[in-house]
Amino acid sequence: MRTRALLPFLLLAIPALLYAQNPVKAHPAQMKSKTQNPAGVHQSAIVIDTHADTPQRFVDEHFDLADPLGSGNLNLDSIHKGNLGAEFFSIWVEPTLYKGQYAHRTLELIDAVKQQAARHPDQIQFVTSPEGIEQAHRNHKFAALMGIEGGHSIEDSIPLLREYYDLGVRYMTLTWSNSNNWADSSGDITDTSIPHAKEGLTEFGKDVVYEMNRLGMMVDISHVSDRTFFRTLIIARAPVIASHSAARALCDAPRNMTDDMLRAVANSGGPGSKGGVVQVNFYSGFLSQPYRDAQKALELEMKKAVQDLKDRYKAEGKEISYIDIDKVQRQFADRIPRPPFSVLIDHIDHIAKVAGVDHVGLGSDFDGVSGQLPEGLDSPADFPKITAALMERGYSAEDCRKILGGNLLRVFREVQQVSKELQAEDRPRITEKQSSDKPQ
Ligand SMILES: [Zn+2]
């Protein structure tokens, strides 16, 4: 902390000292513009956001990224304005609405992301690797990637997991807000009517984690229960990510991460690993305790309104979509004042202090939080403000570039490296059971 307090002074003082000693080589104004100008630093970064729910809009609203934002958070215009280099589009299947057709809906969402890239080849490049992200950046294109949100999408099938990898999916949260047959969620862990795994992961769940490591699909622990989190970290061979999670010390949501969990992510992966990364969620209900408290006060009323809407659709024989439910949730959210922009920076700063600046990044959850975002944070066009606010708190240009995307690229690379090593190991591919399940 002392270092951080000194940092702004040092950054200002060093150019001045250099100028005094060698006025020809270093002009203080030039050095300042290179190292201290937040807009310049932001432009020089490969900015990566690891979670946006826009695919729901592609499928249900026929939204195109070239369209105006409307009620959404992400489009091409805002991507360009905010220098967003890469987005992991969330492939999220609502578990109740799509019961019995998880794979069907998963494939439709995957197709929708690819269709966007196909429609705008001059602006969007569909990629599946860290090198792909860098190549798209060099081509001045926005890189589109995919992550599955919720292990229920694999319908308890390792072959389906492998097929999703082949289609380009590069991370999977082991659960969404629902526990599945092999991993538990923070969303229903206190619900005793739902069966939970004794160790947080069943034997099959451990196979899933191993197979993800072997394939090179990032293991994403956002949404899982605390026990599932720690069990996963014990067995994971590669560093893990939290694609969209905030800090529980600042806002007491079960879905947020305790300081111990933040440190555990930083230490995840095998020996010699550089550790994982926590990508901070922008949702007001995860960032601000007063906002969360106000939400709780409205919760029952909102749940009733959503149920009423579901009943009405059923009675009329109509299919309800996530977008319809979202509209009702927005009406309630609009009654609560938005928290200040600084709450997001507080979480990034907290995670950087607890886990280290190499272990924090951005996971907006755009288009998945009913517009419940801090003031002045509505789309990627507002991303340069994050860089400016971090620099104001003493973060260096290098720190900012790590937070904006460098950390995620590092983890993504390491996950691919571990995958190569595991594939080189002479170990049978998992079919139904992992070999280690057999008594030795
Ligand atoms: Zn989520």
Side-chain angles (χ1 to χ4, degrees):
M1 288 226 250
R2 187 178 290 171
T3 325
R4 176 130 304 134
L6 277 173
L7 209 56
F9 167 75
L10 285 174
L11 286 172
L12 288 170
I14 288 168
L17 287 171
L18 283 172
Y19 182 58
Q21 286 165 7
N22 191 349
V24 182
K25 272 189 182 163
H27 188 280
Q30 278 171 354
M31 285 201 66
K32 188 173 171 168
S33 72
K34 271 193 186 159
T35 59
Q36 287 279 281
N37 174 347
V41 171
H42 190 82
Q43 276 309 116
S44 72
I46 300 185
V47 183
I48 304 174
D49 177 27
T50 44
H51 202 87
D53 276 300
T54 324
Q56 308 295 319
R57 298 193 78 198
F58 299 154
V59 175
D60 297 333
E61 293 186 324
H62 307 292
F63 176 74
D64 187 289
L65 280 173
D67 291 345
L69 273 180
S71 60
N73 303 121
L74 193 87
N75 68 356
L76 281 172
D77 183 45
S78 64
I79 284 165
H80 294 315
K81 279 185 182 146
N83 188 36
L84 178 58
E87 180 68 69
F88 282 77
F89 286 102
S90 169
I91 306 300
W92 169 67
V93 175
E94 211 287 340
T96 318
L97 294 178
Y98 299 99
K99 213 175 180 80
Q101 37 184 328
Y102 293 161
H104 178 105
R105 177 76 175 173
T106 302
L107 292 175
E108 285 191 341
L109 292 163
I110 288 173
D111 174 71
V113 174
K114 294 187 174 184
Q115 288 303 319
Q116 285 298 313
R119 267 190 231 168
H120 307 287
D122 52 328
Q123 297 182 72
I124 307 175
Q125 197 169 328
F126 178 76
V127 306
T128 57
S129 65
E131 297 75 30
I133 293 175
E134 288 168 329
Q135 195 200 53
H137 186 74
R138 280 195 299 275
N139 296 343
H140 304 287
K141 285 184 191 172
F142 165 69
L145 298 100
M146 301 183 297
I148 284 181
E149 178 166 32
H152 57 281
S153 269
I154 69 165
E155 298 194 5
D156 305 334
S157 162
I158 299 273
L160 266 191
L161 172 70
R162 285 198 281 260
E163 287 307 308
Y164 293 151
Y165 179 85
D166 281 351
L167 290 171
V169 173
R170 287 299 176 267
Y171 76 63
M172 180 169 80
T173 70
L174 301 181
T175 74
W176 179 61
S177 301
N178 57 314
S179 292
N180 53 47
N181 292 333
W182 47 271
D184 291 333
S185 169
S186 60
D188 61 15
I189 194 68
T190 55
D191 186 341
T192 49
S193 70
I194 289 164
H196 290 115
K198 224 189 285 167
E199 297 180 358
L201 276 177
T202 65
E203 291 306 305
F204 177 79
K206 293 177 196 167
D207 287 354
V208 172
V209 171
Y210 175 79
E211 188 64 1
M212 289 175 75
N213 283 165
R214 198 191 65 83
L215 289 166
M217 189 188 282
M218 290 183 278
V219 174
D220 184 351
I221 52 70
S222 282
H223 280 288
V224 301
S225 74
D226 290 11
R227 183 172 288 193
T228 302
F229 169 88
F230 285 110
R231 179 61 53 190
T232 303
L233 266 74
I234 289 168
I235 62 162
R237 301 276 294 264
V240 304
I241 64 164
S243 66
H244 58 311
S245 289
R248 211 182 291 174
L250 303 186
C251 180
D252 190 17
R255 167 86 173 68
N256 281 351
M257 299 170 70
T258 64
D259 287 357
D260 279 345
M261 291 164 92
L262 297 173
R263 281 186 282 263
V265 167
N267 291 316
S268 66
S273 169
K274 293 205 161 69
V277 63
V278 177
Q279 307 277 104
V280 183
N281 193 311
F282 296 2
Y283 175 48
S284 299
F286 295 154
L287 294 177
S288 158
Q289 192 64 50
Y291 189 94
R292 189 169 181 80
D293 294 342
Q295 261 184 331
K296 274 202 178 138
L298 289 173
E299 199 176 340
L300 280 179
E301 206 186 325
M302 188 186 77
K303 276 189 177 160
K304 193 185 170 305
V306 169
Q307 194 54 49
D308 287 351
L309 185 79
K310 283 182 180 170
D311 293 345
R312 210 179 72 219
Y313 268 67
K314 212 176 176 182
E316 291 169 8
K318 286 197 292 184
E319 248 179 62
I320 197 163
S321 74
Y322 169 71
I323 307 289
D324 299 318
I325 296 169
D326 184 62
K327 276 183 192 143
V328 177
Q329 289 174 335
R330 273 169 193 268
Q331 286 164 9
F332 282 88
D334 288 347
R335 285 157 60 178
I336 312 171
R338 295 172 75 171
F341 182 84
S342 59
V343 293
L344 171 68
I345 310 303
D346 292 344
H347 280 256
I348 296 173
D349 191 37
H350 179 83
I351 297 169
K353 280 179 178 140
V354 171
V357 76
D358 291 333
H359 306 285
V360 60
L362 308 177
S364 68
D365 216 350
F366 279 154
D367 287 327
V369 296
S370 306
Q372 299 179 66
L373 297 156
E375 272 177 336
L377 192 54
D378 296 294
S379 77
D382 297 314
F383 281 180
K385 295 180 197 168
I386 299 173
T387 307
L390 287 170
M391 294 188 82
E392 217 164 89
R393 292 200 194 186
Y395 285 82
S396 69
E398 199 195 338
D399 288 342
C400 288
R401 283 190 283 266
K402 284 179 179 178
I403 295 167
L404 292 168
N407 289 336
L408 190 280
L409 272 180
R410 182 201 74 231
V411 176
F412 198 178
R413 265 192 211 104
E414 195 181 321
V415 166
Q416 296 211 323
Q417 183 53 38
V418 170
S419 155
K420 275 190 202 140
E421 289 162 17
L422 292 180
Q423 289 184 25
E425 278 179 11
D426 194 17
R427 180 171 173 159
R429 271 165 68 123
I430 290 174
T431 50
E432 281 167 10
K433 281 277 175 193
Q434 195 172 315
S435 54
S436 61
D437 295 340
K438 291 175 197 142
Q440 299 290 312

